[in-house]
Amino acid sequence: MPIEQFNLLTEIMAAQDDSLSGVAKSTCLDKSTLTRNLKALEKQGLIEIATGGNDSRRRLVSLTETGAERLAQAMPIWRAANSSLSRFVDTELARKVADSSRKLPFKS
């Protein structure tokens, strides 16, 4: 699973706003990139996209059972890789870069 898809699955799992626009905002992905990655995850059976209640224009995204299982399997691998990387990268510097990148403007 590519890192972009892993990140997207973790965002979907933790999302307080499970709408497509909410996921786009939390991931800072433009609409076409988000759509492309969501289609790949949906094709693999890892997520489900459905209309939201009374508003058929609102689309909600959620993990499937398979998606939750795959994420649970990938998480220990990600944690081990992150731990290994932290031995070579100053974690405070990495945190500052990540925080700064969240402030960058992006087009949706």
Side-chain angles (χ1 to χ4, degrees):
M1 165 186 321
I3 190 67
E4 297 84 7
Q5 292 180 1
F6 174 79
N7 287 338
L8 194 48
L9 287 177
T10 61
E11 286 292 335
I12 292 167
M13 179 189 70
Q16 292 182 15
D17 180 356
D18 60 352
S19 67
L20 290 182
S21 60
V23 172
K25 185 176 180 180
S26 69
T27 59
C28 297
L29 292 174
D30 64 81
K31 189 175 183 176
S32 64
T33 302
L34 177 64
T35 300
R36 183 176 56 252
N37 282 299
L38 289 176
K39 284 183 180 182
L41 293 172
E42 188 175 37
K43 186 176 180 180
Q44 296 173 57
L46 303 177
I47 64 163
E48 182 178 76
I49 301 173
T51 56
N54 296 337
D55 187 353
S56 61
R57 296 171 298 169
R58 188 164 190 249
R59 304 204 41 203
L60 307 176
V61 61
S62 61
L63 293 181
T64 62
E65 187 175 324
T66 302
E69 289 170 1
R70 182 83 54 87
L71 186 57
Q73 292 169 353
M75 194 61 75
I77 298 165
W78 179 86
R79 285 188 179 123
N82 191 44
S83 178
S84 293
L85 183 61
S86 68
R87 287 184 267 158
F88 303 104
V89 176
D90 178 12
T91 55
E92 187 57 35
L93 176 61
R95 185 172 293 114
K96 286 179 183 179
V97 169
D99 289 344
S100 295
S101 69
R102 287 187 189 97
K103 297 175 187 173
L104 293 173
F106 72 97
K107 293 183 180 182
S108 53

